[in-house]
Amino acid sequence: MPAVVTIGETMLRLSPPPGTSLEHAAEFSVRAAGTESNVAITLSRLGTSAGWISRLVDSPLGRRVAAEIRAHGVDVSRVLWTADGRVGTYFVEPAVTPRTARVIYDRAYSAFAEIDPDEVDWAFVRTARHLHLTGITPSLSDRCRALAVRAIAEARRAGLTISFDVNYRARLWPPKDARKALEGVLEGIDVIFSTAEDARTLFDAEGQAEEACGLLARRFRPRVAVVTDDGRCVCAQGDRLVTREGYQVTSVDRIGAGDAFAGGFIHGWLSEESIERGLEYGMAAAALKHTYHGDVAWITLEDVRNLISGQPRWR
Amino acid sequence: MPAVVTIGETMLRLSPPPGTSLEHAAEFSVRAAGTESNVAITLSRLGTSAGWISRLVDSPLGRRVAAEIRAHGVDVSRVLWTADGRVGTYFVEPAVTPRTARVIYDRAYSAFAEIDPDEVDWAFVRTARHLHLTGITPSLSDRCRALAVRAIAEARRAGLTISFDVNYRARLWPPKDARKALEGVLEGIDVIFSTAEDARTLFDAEGQAEEACGLLARRFRPRVAVVTDDGRCVCAQGDRLVTREGYQVTSVDRIGAGDAFAGGFIHGWLSEESIERGLEYGMAAAALKHTYHGDVAWITLEDVRNLISGQPRWR
Amino acid sequence: MPAVVTIGETMLRLSPPPGTSLEHAAEFSVRAAGTESNVAITLSRLGTSAGWISRLVDSPLGRRVAAEIRAHGVDVSRVLWTADGRVGTYFVEPAVTPRTARVIYDRAYSAFAEIDPDEVDWAFVRTARHLHLTGITPSLSDRCRALAVRAIAEARRAGLTISFDVNYRARLWPPKDARKALEGVLEGIDVIFSTAEDARTLFDAEGQAEEACGLLARRFRPRVAVVTDDGRCVCAQGDRLVTREGYQVTSVDRIGAGDAFAGGFIHGWLSEESIERGLEYGMAAAALKHTYHGDVAWITLEDVRNLISGQPRWR
Amino acid sequence: MPAVVTIGETMLRLSPPPGTSLEHAAEFSVRAAGTESNVAITLSRLGTSAGWISRLVDSPLGRRVAAEIRAHGVDVSRVLWTADGRVGTYFVEPAVTPRTARVIYDRAYSAFAEIDPDEVDWAFVRTARHLHLTGITPSLSDRCRALAVRAIAEARRAGLTISFDVNYRARLWPPKDARKALEGVLEGIDVIFSTAEDARTLFDAEGQAEEACGLLARRFRPRVAVVTDDGRCVCAQGDRLVTREGYQVTSVDRIGAGDAFAGGFIHGWLSEESIERGLEYGMAAAALKHTYHGDVAWITLEDVRNLISGQPRWR
Amino acid sequence: MPAVVTIGETMLRLSPPPGTSLEHAAEFSVRAAGTESNVAITLSRLGTSAGWISRLVDSPLGRRVAAEIRAHGVDVSRVLWTADGRVGTYFVEPAVTPRTARVIYDRAYSAFAEIDPDEVDWAFVRTARHLHLTGITPSLSDRCRALAVRAIAEARRAGLTISFDVNYRARLWPPKDARKALEGVLEGIDVIFSTAEDARTLFDAEGQAEEACGLLARRFRPRVAVVTDDGRCVCAQGDRLVTREGYQVTSVDRIGAGDAFAGGFIHGWLSEESIERGLEYGMAAAALKHTYHGDVAWITLEDVRNLISGQPRWR
Amino acid sequence: MPAVVTIGETMLRLSPPPGTSLEHAAEFSVRAAGTESNVAITLSRLGTSAGWISRLVDSPLGRRVAAEIRAHGVDVSRVLWTADGRVGTYFVEPAVTPRTARVIYDRAYSAFAEIDPDEVDWAFVRTARHLHLTGITPSLSDRCRALAVRAIAEARRAGLTISFDVNYRARLWPPKDARKALEGVLEGIDVIFSTAEDARTLFDAEGQAEEACGLLARRFRPRVAVVTDDGRCVCAQGDRLVTREGYQVTSVDRIGAGDAFAGGFIHGWLSEESIERGLEYGMAAAALKHTYHGDVAWITLEDVRNLISGQPRWR
């Protein structure tokens, strides 16, 4: 049974080649991508066993999503398979300065959005050590919101620690709805991840990452609040505030860097019981993610450790 | 103003490279594809001006669909643009003997499915000579069914000739529903196109293409009934039955060949007022379509004429 | 009838993939590219209707050129089609610091170079509001030079405003010839575009963009002279001098940025009657062009406005 | 614990695009490929749980091999990982009539060739129902030969059924050596697979597949002997001889078809206890494999059943 | 010094991917291609040293042409390099039944067309054993016609044998001009190659390949006349007529097969002094050429011999 | 006979597309790459005739390696061809900050590693002016070490100048072994190339490039010692120390830049007898190499001179 379980939606990500337009490119590259499965992949690659629960159509596209995640060693045995419905897609034209990324979500009515919380194998969750969720799930449908609430309840009852990444997406719901939904679930979460910008948008945080982090810590009283801001990160554990500067990166594709951070942090925090190690692993995993196209950080624990220690991995 | 107007939905078609799987291919080729716009493209390329009416999201994907059709000279000025909604997609893994094609339609809830017939610029239709519709449109939504009915009414009132391609898709609606809907619209259509198989499935035709063609002619009393069957085609004009054998083809991609046939037939029938010419142009256009990937027949009138006359086009 | 008409040659642009050599690459990417059609495309995409007049061979290559331009909504109905002749090609190996771009023009003897000014549908020009030409056309052949002179005369007589982009190409003609030819046409043009370097090479401008701009303004007395220099731009309207700094860009491909600038400027100047708006639109369009491979700026008016206002287009 | 366990080497397969040469192609496609893992993949995709035991370097290449196999649900948890050594590679230029395939094996000194049988988790094997081996393993090294002998002994002791695919490769060892080694292991195997040609080369079989099959059945007394020959197959169970004609196929890539056959046969034989079902599933899986590039048959049980029943899978 | 020298023009060949159109493909594959250099490449690959004389621009494109030919070991040291001019290009959309190939020659005004026969290093020719020319050269320009005449005169004086491939191209010159020019050069040639169709078009041959071959033999009195027709070939040596049936091929790309035939024939004829061997080598080389994209036959002498002897080359 | 001869191993270099992983990329680009052949290619492209001696399998892969080098005009006539053995391969995932390059060497047991020095045509070496070797050769096998020693002896006897690039590879041998082997050969070499880092690792150099260069000059008493360090380079000729700053580069691929430097230096030093010219040519060649994928600097002498003189090569 995996040590960490994540629950969420994973879509097909379709992107034109670098420097070409969704309006024009003859081919789109295809990959499975979802914030929760990204975290599970990072964990599995670093050596923390991970499982991912979702709901997929039993079609070539649904099987593809599961296969891409399973390839990294993530346990996908509890995915719910359905004969009907659709696999969500999203189209991304990556940002090139000063052009911002174009993202077209086409995920409404997906098989996951219609999940019934009672279908999930909660015993699989209860035997894990840790549960990871994000703010995207409650935004997708009423059923998904109920799913998140139920997952937290199951995990708590079974004594798991829980992490929650705020991950606000303005294109999925307005701040008002997000705030209301998230206030209901963040209370009592062990590890809260947020960007400084999301903390500003949803919780009226002001100032820098430090202030945002303090606000989250005071407001939701997690064991750890972690706020990232433009490569930097700040972590509050009770009154203690730890900060780390990020690495200089040549960013090939920034999407998924936050998930690599969360995966790296959880790995370090769970395996070495140290928020300092969590931050180090998270920052290194995120920096390495930036260097690859797609959502996946193609890293190993050795890569992360070498980057942290300043040793080149390959001579 | 174009001579022929078509109305229908066009989607993004996403296909893995030949011999690879939707489950695995790193890239999908991307093209706009829809039966009615395919017909309009063939007509425009052959020299009959054509317009296409549809409803699209004003996003890179929607603009792409319009641009790919406009590139061939089709008039897309009456496309309805909407801020919200989605562009339908479909995923195709082409057939390789003995493997049949895999087709995943993901077109529910598209911008076109939610079209309001009152939004359409019917004056644009009324100034044309000919209207072309297919059986896919009424299968998509109640609004689309109403749209087809309205289009036929407008065209009749304005004295246009009308063609209708039965184009039955089992994955969109069951035969019973299709039969009921189509019986309501086929009566009085000038040109009915059907495959022999569709005539069997929907109208209990028996035997060969000749019988199916006769049945359609008797039942719906069109000026012309055209039935294709495995490369052959049969055309009934009153009691007169004309048949043509198809060309031997190396089929690169069969999707769109029926649309090229319809486009070629309409061009020949309208411009030379002869069903024989219609059949010749239709068969040649369809054969040439088979030699290209994607739905588009990259042909000119000269190509079609050279194939008919047995002259090589290029020495 | 389009508001702006442009006249010029468009070629097939053939480029090896980034970081590979024309000597070695297994594939070349293929696009239609020409300074005047680039401007027409930018105008059309921003909402100003545009037409493009040229001369093309009726071959797959010539049809391709027209189709790529028509796809953006540009009116290509007045292109002259010819049975013989060739489509000009050019080969580009883009610059990578410190390597400069390699450009091989292979455009001599093209169908456009042999255009007869009397063939052109001048009525189409006369019904527009604005004509745009560039210094490339008079460099191509005697007939092309006569074409430019005739176009200016027709436009003036019909009361159109005229813009002219100097666009000096050392590989097409020596400065002496260019100077002589351009002096004959620039007199009385409404909007002159030039780079600071071209102003130095052809008109002995000294100093910075400001000086070059002033010199052009005094010498040719346009309503507006616009000089760009390394991302900055300067605009002189009578005695008034307006300058704008450019955006910081990650340049994927700089070719076509000047055309996007001209298209953006003309759009702003025509639609909002303000050189400030012209400069803003031009600078934004040029910056966004830098982020795409090929000559086309895949932009919308909304993209340009969002960049100007500092709002991200896509969250 | 998986129902079927396979043991063997999987390499990186590097192939130029169709119709290009290993001497010249700018890119090679890359896939993991090995006869035993191919069988495991087919089994897993058809619904029979399968595990694959091997030895791999813990490098990006070794991880890739494991990931590609795990993606299909095959249990790779017992792969032995090593810090040193190499991943075998092979280069294939597929056959095009009358050109035969070019195959360059570069697998000497691979991590698998240096496997120590004592390292293997034999308990994993013993808890399965069935073991599958091939004649490639004993050809690779003395250690690999010992591994095959040990595996058979362990399986027998634990009561598993065993299948063995002769799979003679002239480029790996001469017939004399192969004959000697295989005679030592084939005795008492439950299911022997062979091509008619291998039976001729190694065991002096004469005549058609029927004769070869009879000879294998008499000589090694398996429960079932299965001989394939140019699409046909013959199966001997005691005195009973069953034959099946193959499907007509458009062969995109024939490599791996024999493995798909073996996987399909084992699935049918194990799950439905019928050699007729085994042959049907094997023939269908092999035919579908021919339609894909690479060694993998991208099939489901439904695909195989539909082909057998003559129903199209996708309308 | 090479044993065989060829003289002629080689162009850049630009082709869209199989099944796509010159009007639409995003990329064209790029290769150097010319009938005489194709022959030289085949000879060099089979073991007969060969040199190729031409005239090229010293640009990346010209260097590419020379490099692609030199890569096969052909001596290109006598290519004439020029600072100005152009490299000829041609665009090919390969045939797919019933669609014929589209070929767009864009070779007028190339550097080769402007060659001055006096520039050529004739000593290089005179030290060879054999000279190979084709009917394309005299069609290109007056200078090229003079070049062919001069080459024949130089070769004769120095005692070389000469082969000449008629290679009629209707798109380069009308039959009347070709007939007149070729009649002037074919007299006294040692080996004449022609297709049956060219013999019909130019020399009024009637009936089958045998008749055409006989006519050429009587009319121009070569030592050997070789006529190919749809895969068959016929060879006349004085009164003796030898025929060979071709191989069954899956034709990936037929362009260059005639050149592979000529190269194979010359190799066999020169090295084994036998027209039977020449035909065998020519037929095998041509058949293998059909299996590759592009003009080059990626073969070795061993490949050719294995095909002739019916032995598979690679097991 | 070439002016410069190099001896060494060249491998197939296999790389995933930029920003993708060796674990995942569907295609690897393929190129021949080896430090000594890279130097020979640079020399040949700059106009100094060069030959390359090596040992290759006569397979499509071995022929490919020779062909890619021969394409640049390098004399490969003395390559030793063998029926058996393998072509070394290496897999590279290029560095992206902060990720370091991943390099997997798979070159053990290559045909070159088993070379017998007596097989080499030493007369070919003796007729040259200059010999170039690197520290990679002695690391590969005992035979290769003997080959390097023999080559130096032959060259000295025949009066050639000799250059030697230290090129330490930690993944091929430990510093202790490298130091011992190199100390035996560097004594009396005319030109020693080293990076500052290699000088530190192997010869305990301290401080900057200047110190390292002085140390090499004192220790091995070459006519010229050249040390590069992060783009800068320092050259010691007796007591004279010359330094040059590098160019600012956008590095597409840094592999091969050191070889381009060596090739440029040798060209300048040999042809203009000046270490200043050598440094200039070397720095320019290296900078231009950085702008191309793969090991080859696609440059001409004109490119190098234009960069040195600050003139753009192409306007």
Side-chain angles (χ1 to χ4, degrees), chain E residues 45 59-60 63 66-68 70-74 300 303 314, chain F residues 45 59-60 63 66-68 70-74 300 303 314:
Chain E
R45 293 189 65 93
S59 72
R63 289 195 295 271
E68 288 197 23
R70 187 197 288 121
H72 298 275
V74 174
T300 63
D303 296 337
W314 298 88
Chain F
R45 294 188 65 93
S59 72
R63 289 195 295 271
E68 287 197 24
R70 186 196 289 120
H72 299 274
V74 174
T300 62
D303 296 336
W314 297 90

Side-chain angles (χ1 to χ4, degrees), chain C residues 92-165:
Chain C
V92 192
E93 202 179 285
V96 185
T97 308
R99 175 160 56 87
T100 52
R102 296 189 204 255
V103 177
I104 301 176
Y105 280 128
D106 185 7
R107 63 199 298 178
Y109 311 105
S110 72
F112 182 75
E114 294 168 15
I115 196 169
D116 172 357
D118 286 339
E119 294 176 306
V120 172
D121 178 3
W122 294 111
F124 183 76
V125 175
R126 288 190 300 259
T127 55
R129 285 180 55 199
H130 186 86
L131 170 72
H132 178 73
L133 301 175
T134 82
I136 288 177
T137 298
S139 79
L140 298 177
S141 68
D142 289 346
R143 291 184 160 213
C144 288
R145 203 162 316 166
L147 177 76
V149 170
R150 170 77 174 274
I152 291 170
E154 294 275 355
R156 267 191 198 135
R157 212 171 313 146
L160 281 72
T161 49
I162 307 175
S163 54
F164 196 102
D165 191 340

